[in-house]
Amino acid sequence: MKSIVILISGRGSNMEAIVRAGIPGARIAAVISNRPGAEGLAFAAARDIATEVVDHTAYPDRERFDAALAEAIDRHTPDLVVLAGFMRVLTADFVRHYAGRLINIHPSLLPAFGGLHTHRRALEAGVRVHGATVHYVTPELDCGPIVVQAVVPVLPDDTEAELAARVLAEEHRIYPQAVRWIIAGRVRLDGARAEVLAAPEPNGFVN
Ligand code: GAR
């Protein structure tokens, strides 16, 4: 049985989608937040998932926060660390420590609109499609190998909230999917790219 640790900062709806979907071959060992008030912690605790807070405001700098965070994570010896609305920029040392086992979901079609306020920026840019990306985390922000993306239309009178809701519904679909693929050993990292391998057929053939 593989071990997954999920990091959140707030609502935790992506974490909830992953927990509800269930990941064959893995258990959610812990949900860790950098904010004591993160709403998602209650859902995880109600599901008997270990929860923990590593409050970034209690640390003098990024390096020491990341070291404490890594210590909390590593107690669960995770095969995969899942950033689910975890709103802290991580140090290169932290990212390297989890190379090949740290993923993130970002609310845009990367490489477009990395960073914050993605929905507002997509509306301002007048793009006709927008979406979400699951990617491996590398030291450069929002730039790692892409596992899966989902596309949604941008409608003429969309508000930021409407567009965000349309994207979020897709996030809840693709994030559990990506985690399942990775746990099943179906994602191969090849430099800057991630390749999703076909599912083996029950008879041993590959489709
Ligand atoms: C999600 O839309 C996620 O893509 C985004 O924050 C939201 C968290 O929602 N993440 C980022 O912007 C990362 N840079 P959730 O807490 O309900 O999962």
Side-chain angles (χ1 to χ4, degrees):
M1 184 63 84
K2 292 187 174 164
S3 164
I4 296 173
V5 170
I6 304 181
L7 305 189
I8 65 170
S9 293
R11 179 177 58 185
S13 70
N14 276 290
M15 173 274 296
E16 190 173 328
I18 292 166
V19 170
R20 285 189 194 280
I23 307 298
R27 60 184 283 269
I28 311 303
V31 172
I32 301 175
S33 169
N34 65 305
R35 283 188 44 235
E39 301 88 327
L41 289 170
F43 171 84
R47 292 271 175 143
D48 285 330
I49 297 169
T51 60
E52 199 168 328
V53 174
V54 183
D55 184 348
H56 65 277
T57 64
Y59 296 87
D61 53 39
R62 243 180 236 295
E63 285 69 25
R64 271 171 278 192
F65 167 67
D66 279 10
L69 182 62
E71 211 177 292
I73 294 170
D74 286 347
R75 277 199 286 275
H76 302 280
T77 55
D79 298 284
L80 186 64
V81 178
V82 175
L83 305 181
F86 186 70
M87 304 306 278
R88 302 290 306 168
V89 173
L90 296 160
T91 57
D93 275 352
F94 181 97
V95 171
R96 272 194 289 270
H97 178 68
Y98 296 104
R101 54 189 179 122
L102 180 62
I103 60 171
N104 180 45
I105 190 158
H106 182 78
S108 78
L109 292 172
L110 290 173
F113 309 120
L116 297 175
H117 310 302
T118 57
H119 309 306
R120 188 192 312 163
R121 287 159 58 212
L123 289 174
E124 282 166 3
V127 294
R128 301 302 166 92
V129 292
H130 185 44
T133 303
V134 177
H135 65 97
Y136 279 91
V137 178
T138 54
E140 208 181 335
L141 192 68
D142 299 330
C143 275
I146 291 170
V147 179
V148 62
Q149 294 184 299
V151 180
V152 304
V154 179
L155 303 179
D157 295 321
D158 266 348
T159 62
E160 194 178 333
E162 284 164 343
L163 183 56
R166 196 174 305 127
V167 171
L168 190 65
E170 288 299 300
E171 295 186 40
H172 295 165
R173 184 177 65 78
I174 63 172
Y175 216 4
Q177 179 68 266
V179 173
R180 282 175 169 225
W181 285 340
I182 291 167
I183 292 298
R186 287 182 53 196
V187 180
R188 186 163 61 201
L189 275 174
D190 182 10
R193 299 168 65 93
E195 186 189 354
V196 181
L197 307 171
E201 296 262 333
N203 60 11
F205 290 104
V206 178
N207 63 19

